[in-house]
Amino acid sequence: MTPDSVFDLTGRRALVTGASRGLGAVIARTLAGHGAHVFVNYLRREADAQDTVRAIIEAGGTASLAPANLARPDEVRAMFAGPLKEGLDILVHNAAIGSFKPAHQVRANQWDLSMQVNARALLLCVQEALPRLAERQGRVIAVSSLGGGRVMPDYGAIGVSKAALEALTRYLGVELAGRGVRVNGVAGGLLDLPSVRQHPSFDDIVPDTIRRTPAGRLGSADDIARVVLFLCTPLSDWIVGQTIVADGGMSLTL
Protein backbone atom coordinates (compact mmCIF):
# COMPACT_ATOMS: atom_id res chain seq x y z
CA MET A 1 0.00 0.00 0.00
CA THR A 2 1.07 3.55 -0.68
CA PRO A 3 0.78 6.25 1.98
CA ASP A 4 -2.12 7.77 0.05
CA SER A 5 -4.04 4.54 -0.53
CA VAL A 6 -3.90 3.33 3.07
CA PHE A 7 -5.97 6.32 4.17
CA ASP A 8 -8.30 6.19 1.17
CA LEU A 9 -11.84 5.44 2.38
CA THR A 10 -13.46 5.81 -1.04
CA GLY A 11 -16.47 3.51 -1.30
CA ARG A 12 -16.74 3.09 2.46
CA ARG A 13 -19.89 4.04 4.36
CA ALA A 14 -19.48 5.51 7.83
CA LEU A 15 -21.96 6.39 10.57
CA VAL A 16 -20.86 8.99 13.12
CA THR A 17 -23.25 9.36 16.04
CA GLY A 18 -23.66 12.76 17.63
CA ALA A 19 -22.17 14.40 14.55
CA SER A 20 -24.20 17.59 14.26
CA ARG A 21 -21.47 19.73 15.85
CA GLY A 22 -18.30 19.66 17.94
CA LEU A 23 -16.07 16.59 17.91
CA GLY A 24 -18.58 14.46 16.01
CA ALA A 25 -18.80 16.98 13.19
CA VAL A 26 -15.00 17.13 12.91
CA ILE A 27 -14.78 13.33 12.80
CA ALA A 28 -17.47 13.26 10.11
CA ARG A 29 -15.64 15.85 8.01
CA THR A 30 -12.33 14.00 8.45
CA LEU A 31 -13.70 10.66 7.26
CA ALA A 32 -15.55 12.32 4.37
CA GLY A 33 -12.37 14.17 3.44
CA HIS A 34 -10.72 10.78 2.91
CA GLY A 35 -13.49 9.50 0.67
CA ALA A 36 -16.10 7.91 2.94
CA HIS A 37 -19.79 8.63 2.58
CA VAL A 38 -20.73 9.79 6.06
CA PHE A 39 -24.10 9.43 7.75
CA VAL A 40 -24.50 12.29 10.22
CA ASN A 41 -26.52 11.14 13.21
CA TYR A 42 -28.23 13.73 15.39
CA LEU A 43 -31.23 14.11 17.68
CA ARG A 44 -32.45 17.69 18.00
CA ARG A 45 -29.93 19.92 16.22
CA GLU A 46 -31.11 19.37 12.66
CA ALA A 47 -29.83 22.74 11.44
CA ASP A 48 -26.35 21.98 12.81
CA ALA A 49 -26.46 18.50 11.25
CA GLN A 50 -27.42 20.02 7.91
CA ASP A 51 -24.50 22.44 8.26
CA THR A 52 -22.16 19.47 8.76
CA VAL A 53 -23.52 17.73 5.66
CA ARG A 54 -23.28 20.98 3.68
CA ALA A 55 -19.67 21.53 4.73
CA ILE A 56 -18.77 18.00 3.65
CA ILE A 57 -20.42 18.40 0.26
CA GLU A 58 -18.87 21.82 -0.33
CA ALA A 59 -15.46 20.26 0.36
CA GLY A 60 -16.09 17.65 -2.32
CA GLY A 61 -17.34 14.80 -0.14
CA THR A 62 -20.68 13.06 0.29
CA ALA A 63 -22.89 12.83 3.35
CA SER A 64 -26.48 12.44 4.43
CA LEU A 65 -28.55 12.76 7.58
CA ALA A 66 -29.35 9.85 9.90
CA PRO A 67 -31.63 11.18 12.67
CA ALA A 68 -32.32 8.97 15.69
CA ASN A 69 -32.69 9.18 19.44
CA LEU A 70 -30.04 6.67 20.49
CA ALA A 71 -31.69 6.22 23.88
CA ARG A 72 -34.63 4.56 22.12
CA PRO A 73 -33.96 1.07 20.70
CA ASP A 74 -36.85 1.41 18.24
CA GLU A 75 -35.31 4.55 16.71
CA VAL A 76 -31.91 2.85 16.44
CA ARG A 77 -33.54 -0.04 14.57
CA ALA A 78 -35.39 2.38 12.30
CA MET A 79 -32.15 4.22 11.48
CA PHE A 80 -30.48 1.01 10.34
CA ALA A 81 -33.59 -0.09 8.45
CA GLY A 82 -33.74 3.28 6.71
CA PRO A 83 -30.70 5.41 5.84
CA LEU A 84 -28.22 2.61 6.60
CA LYS A 85 -29.98 -0.36 5.03
CA GLU A 86 -27.52 -0.51 2.11
CA GLY A 87 -24.62 -1.40 4.39
CA LEU A 88 -22.01 0.00 6.73
CA ASP A 89 -18.22 -0.17 6.92
CA ILE A 90 -17.43 2.17 9.82
CA LEU A 91 -19.33 2.92 13.01
CA VAL A 92 -18.04 5.75 15.20
CA HIS A 93 -19.97 6.14 18.45
CA ASN A 94 -19.32 9.69 19.56
CA ALA A 95 -22.73 10.72 20.94
CA ALA A 96 -22.67 11.51 24.65
CA ILE A 97 -24.85 13.25 27.18
CA GLY A 98 -24.68 13.98 30.89
CA SER A 99 -24.73 16.61 33.59
CA PHE A 100 -21.55 18.06 35.03
CA LYS A 101 -21.95 17.17 38.69
CA PRO A 102 -20.43 14.82 41.29
CA ALA A 103 -21.60 11.20 41.17
CA HIS A 104 -23.33 11.42 44.55
CA GLN A 105 -25.54 14.23 43.22
CA VAL A 106 -26.61 12.51 40.00
CA ARG A 107 -30.35 11.89 39.79
CA ALA A 108 -31.62 8.47 38.69
CA ASN A 109 -32.97 9.76 35.37
CA GLN A 110 -29.66 11.51 34.61
CA TRP A 111 -27.77 8.30 35.37
CA ASP A 112 -30.05 6.25 33.13
CA LEU A 113 -29.83 8.68 30.21
CA SER A 114 -26.03 8.87 30.37
CA MET A 115 -25.78 5.10 30.37
CA GLN A 116 -28.30 4.70 27.56
CA VAL A 117 -26.72 7.20 25.17
CA ASN A 118 -23.04 6.99 26.09
CA ALA A 119 -22.68 3.22 26.48
CA ARG A 120 -25.78 1.18 25.66
CA ALA A 121 -26.25 2.92 22.30
CA LEU A 122 -22.93 1.49 21.11
CA LEU A 123 -24.21 -2.01 21.84
CA LEU A 124 -27.53 -1.36 20.08
CA CYS A 125 -25.79 0.09 17.02
CA VAL A 126 -23.32 -2.79 16.81
CA GLN A 127 -26.12 -5.35 17.12
CA GLU A 128 -28.01 -3.74 14.25
CA ALA A 129 -24.91 -3.18 12.09
CA LEU A 130 -23.09 -6.46 12.74
CA PRO A 131 -24.23 -8.42 9.66
CA ARG A 132 -23.17 -5.49 7.44
CA LEU A 133 -19.92 -4.88 9.33
CA ALA A 134 -18.95 -8.56 9.19
CA GLU A 135 -19.55 -8.69 5.43
CA ARG A 136 -17.24 -5.73 4.90
CA GLN A 137 -14.62 -6.38 7.63
CA GLY A 138 -15.81 -3.19 9.26
CA ARG A 139 -14.52 -0.94 11.99
CA VAL A 140 -16.13 0.21 15.21
CA ILE A 141 -14.61 3.12 17.12
CA ALA A 142 -15.90 4.27 20.51
CA VAL A 143 -15.09 7.81 21.63
CA SER A 144 -14.29 7.89 25.34
CA SER A 145 -12.38 10.27 27.64
CA LEU A 146 -9.85 10.20 30.45
CA GLY A 147 -12.81 10.29 32.85
CA GLY A 148 -13.52 6.68 31.94
CA GLY A 149 -10.46 5.52 33.85
CA ARG A 150 -9.82 8.37 36.29
CA VAL A 151 -11.93 10.45 38.62
CA MET A 152 -12.50 13.88 37.12
CA PRO A 153 -14.26 16.70 39.01
CA ASP A 154 -18.00 17.03 38.37
CA TYR A 155 -17.91 14.19 35.87
CA GLY A 156 -20.12 11.71 37.79
CA ALA A 157 -22.41 9.75 35.51
CA ILE A 158 -20.50 10.72 32.37
CA GLY A 159 -17.25 9.23 33.65
CA VAL A 160 -18.92 6.03 34.81
CA SER A 161 -20.71 5.67 31.48
CA LYS A 162 -17.38 6.12 29.66
CA ALA A 163 -15.89 3.38 31.83
CA ALA A 164 -18.74 1.13 30.74
CA LEU A 165 -18.11 2.15 27.14
CA GLU A 166 -14.45 1.15 27.38
CA ALA A 167 -15.35 -2.19 28.97
CA LEU A 168 -17.86 -2.85 26.20
CA THR A 169 -15.16 -1.96 23.66
CA ARG A 170 -12.92 -4.67 25.12
CA TYR A 171 -15.66 -7.30 25.07
CA LEU A 172 -16.84 -6.48 21.55
CA GLY A 173 -13.26 -6.29 20.36
CA VAL A 174 -12.55 -9.85 21.47
CA GLU A 175 -15.92 -11.25 20.44
CA LEU A 176 -15.98 -9.79 16.94
CA ALA A 177 -12.31 -10.04 15.92
CA GLY A 178 -12.86 -13.54 14.56
CA ARG A 179 -15.57 -12.17 12.28
CA GLY A 180 -13.21 -9.61 10.79
CA VAL A 181 -14.63 -6.62 12.69
CA ARG A 182 -12.12 -4.46 14.56
CA VAL A 183 -13.50 -2.69 17.63
CA ASN A 184 -11.38 -0.08 19.39
CA GLY A 185 -11.71 3.27 21.09
CA VAL A 186 -9.99 6.58 21.64
CA ALA A 187 -9.93 8.52 24.91
CA GLY A 188 -9.08 12.19 24.71
CA GLY A 189 -7.88 14.52 27.39
CA LEU A 190 -9.41 17.93 27.98
CA LEU A 191 -10.57 19.29 24.61
CA ASP A 192 -11.32 22.86 23.67
CA LEU A 193 -14.94 22.33 22.57
CA PRO A 194 -18.19 24.24 23.22
CA SER A 195 -19.66 21.28 25.10
CA VAL A 196 -16.59 20.97 27.33
CA ARG A 197 -16.64 24.70 28.07
CA GLN A 198 -19.96 24.12 29.82
CA HIS A 199 -18.07 22.41 32.66
CA PRO A 200 -18.53 24.66 35.71
CA SER A 201 -14.78 24.69 36.42
CA PHE A 202 -13.54 24.89 32.82
CA ASP A 203 -11.73 28.22 33.24
CA ASP A 204 -9.95 26.94 36.36
CA ILE A 205 -9.06 23.55 34.89
CA VAL A 206 -7.51 24.84 31.66
CA PRO A 207 -4.31 26.45 33.04
CA ASP A 208 -3.55 23.46 35.25
CA THR A 209 -4.20 21.03 32.42
CA ILE A 210 -1.86 22.87 30.06
CA ARG A 211 0.81 23.04 32.78
CA ARG A 212 0.63 19.27 33.32
CA THR A 213 0.49 18.35 29.63
CA PRO A 214 3.95 17.62 28.16
CA ALA A 215 2.72 18.72 24.72
CA GLY A 216 1.91 22.10 26.26
CA ARG A 217 -1.66 22.71 25.08
CA LEU A 218 -5.24 21.51 25.22
CA GLY A 219 -6.35 18.85 22.80
CA SER A 220 -8.36 19.69 19.70
CA ALA A 221 -11.11 17.86 17.87
CA ASP A 222 -8.66 17.28 15.01
CA ASP A 223 -6.29 15.45 17.39
CA ILE A 224 -8.99 12.91 18.16
CA ALA A 225 -10.37 12.72 14.61
CA ARG A 226 -6.95 11.72 13.29
CA VAL A 227 -6.79 8.79 15.72
CA VAL A 228 -10.26 7.73 14.60
CA LEU A 229 -9.08 7.89 10.98
CA PHE A 230 -6.07 5.70 11.82
CA LEU A 231 -8.35 3.12 13.45
CA CYS A 232 -10.38 2.99 10.23
CA THR A 233 -7.35 1.90 8.17
CA PRO A 234 -5.47 -1.40 7.71
CA LEU A 235 -2.62 0.13 9.73
CA SER A 236 -4.64 -0.73 12.86
CA ASP A 237 -5.44 -4.35 11.90
CA TRP A 238 -3.49 -5.78 14.85
CA ILE A 239 -5.20 -3.58 17.46
CA VAL A 240 -8.19 -5.28 19.08
CA GLY A 241 -10.40 -4.03 21.90
CA GLN A 242 -8.05 -1.22 22.93
CA THR A 243 -8.82 2.34 23.94
CA ILE A 244 -6.00 4.57 22.71
CA VAL A 245 -5.26 7.53 24.97
CA ALA A 246 -4.64 10.76 23.05
CA ASP A 247 -4.00 13.45 25.64
CA GLY A 248 -0.62 15.00 24.87
CA GLY A 249 0.91 12.91 27.65
CA MET A 250 -1.09 14.50 30.47
CA SER A 251 -2.23 11.23 32.04
CA LEU A 252 1.40 10.11 32.36
CA THR A 253 2.18 12.99 34.67
CA LEU A 254 -0.65 12.49 37.20
Side-chain angles (χ1 to χ4, degrees):
M1 299 182 193
T2 66
D4 288 335
S5 68
V6 76
F7 289 102
D8 185 2
L9 302 179
T10 300
R12 309 286 291 279
R13 295 159 60 87
L15 168 66
V16 182
T17 67
S20 62
R21 61 177 185 155
L23 176 57
V26 173
I27 292 172
R29 293 198 300 268
T30 298
L31 298 184
H34 285 80
H37 178 88
V38 178
F39 294 90
V40 175
N41 165 257
Y42 69 97
L43 176 55
R44 295 186 181 90
R45 299 180 178 275
E46 182 174 353
D48 289 338
Q50 290 175 336
D51 286 344
T52 299
V53 169
R54 187 177 303 111
I56 288 172
I57 293 173
E58 289 176 352
T62 63
S64 50
L65 299 177
N69 182 347
L70 300 181
R72 296 179 59 89
D74 58 331
E75 292 198 26
V76 174
R77 287 192 294 270
M79 178 174 64
F80 280 91
L84 297 166
K85 64 182 178 182
E86 298 302 322
L88 191 68
D89 300 275
I90 298 164
L91 166 60
V92 181
H93 183 50
N94 164 78
I97 193 170
S99 300
F100 289 123
K101 59 175 59 177
H104 71 275
Q105 295 180 4
V106 174
R107 297 195 299 270
N109 65 315
Q110 294 171 328
W111 173 275
D112 291 344
L113 187 58
S114 291
M115 289 295 181
Q116 289 167 2
V117 174
N118 304 358
R120 189 184 72 173
L122 173 64
L123 178 62
L124 296 179
C125 288
V126 168
Q127 288 173 337
E128 292 296 325
L130 184 54
R132 304 165 178 85
L133 291 170
E135 288 173 359
R136 300 165 178 255
Q137 294 196 328
R139 305 286 167 146
V140 178
I141 298 98
V143 179
S144 187
S145 74
L146 290 185
R150 295 165 177 78
V151 177
M152 314 293 284
D154 296 314
Y155 207 59
I158 307 174
V160 177
S161 68
K162 291 297 189 180
L165 179 69
E166 292 184 17
L168 180 58
T169 297
R170 291 191 291 273
Y171 273 83
L172 292 175
V174 170
E175 293 171 359
L176 303 184
R179 299 181 65 173
V181 180
R182 291 292 178 267
V183 183
N184 291 291
V186 54
L190 186 65
L191 303 178
D192 188 7
L193 294 170
S195 59
V196 180
R197 293 191 200 107
Q198 296 175 15
H199 191 288
S201 302
F202 180 78
D203 290 338
D204 296 327
I205 293 173
V206 168
D208 186 56
T209 299
I210 294 174
R211 179 184 60 81
R212 292 189 292 125
T213 300
R217 62 172 174 84
L218 293 185
S220 70
D222 286 322
D223 292 324
I224 305 303
R226 285 190 285 264
V227 179
V228 172
L229 174 63
F230 161 73
L231 290 172
C232 292
T233 73
L235 296 177
S236 64
D237 278 353
W238 202 233
I239 303 176
V240 172
Q242 303 298 313
T243 297
I244 297 174
V245 175
D247 67 350
M250 191 196 78
S251 57
L252 301 178
T253 67
L254 295 179

